[in-house]
Amino acid sequence: MEAPLARVVFSPLDSRLMRINNSISSPDGDTEDWVEFTSYNGSIAIQIFCSEGPVQVELKSNGQPFDTFPLSCMEKRLLSVNANETYLLRISEADPNGSHNTEYTLVLENIR
């Protein structure tokens, strides 16, 4: 959480889309990834393309839980967040007791 995999500040004149490729594995290996983002308007679409799924997504604001949900491969979800506030997004295996290695592409898009 202290060293996110990626950081992005979405703005109307610059970045509106972020794509990240990585992997998580449980119980051995890198069991979670963190991504930090700030939205200029409060509407973020999140979509994940993965080799196995679903994954668990946890959203934190100011270190406090904001939302938690499973996200299936290729599922797209719209998040309502506070404009100009920084969030941390945690991606982990939905079944922490299983043995998985999930390759994924995460797409975050700031919706106008």
Side-chain angles (χ1 to χ4, degrees), residues 1-16:
M1 187 165 92
E2 292 80 25
L5 175 65
R7 289 185 166 104
V8 67
V9 176
F10 293 112
S11 73
L13 301 175
D14 195 18
S15 295
R16 288 194 300 261

Side-chain angles (χ1 to χ4, degrees), residues 24 26 53-57 69-71 92-98 100 102:
I24 49 177
S26 65
V55 297
Q56 185 73 15
V57 176
F69 52 91
L71 192 63
S92 61
E93 295 287 352
D95 178 13
N97 297 321
H100 304 281
T102 303

Side-chain angles (χ1 to χ4, degrees), residues 1-8 18-24 30-37 48 87-92 102-108:
M1 187 165 92
E2 292 80 25
L5 175 65
R7 289 185 166 104
V8 67
M18 177 172 63
R19 187 179 317 259
I20 299 169
N21 297 311
N22 210 8
S23 65
I24 49 177
D30 186 10
T31 60
E32 64 185 17
D33 283 335
W34 291 89
V35 175
E36 183 180 283
F37 71 89
I48 196 153
Y87 289 86
L88 280 167
L89 185 70
R90 177 180 177 250
I91 302 159
S92 61
T102 303
E103 303 284 330
Y104 71 86
T105 299
L106 173 71
V107 179
L108 290 176

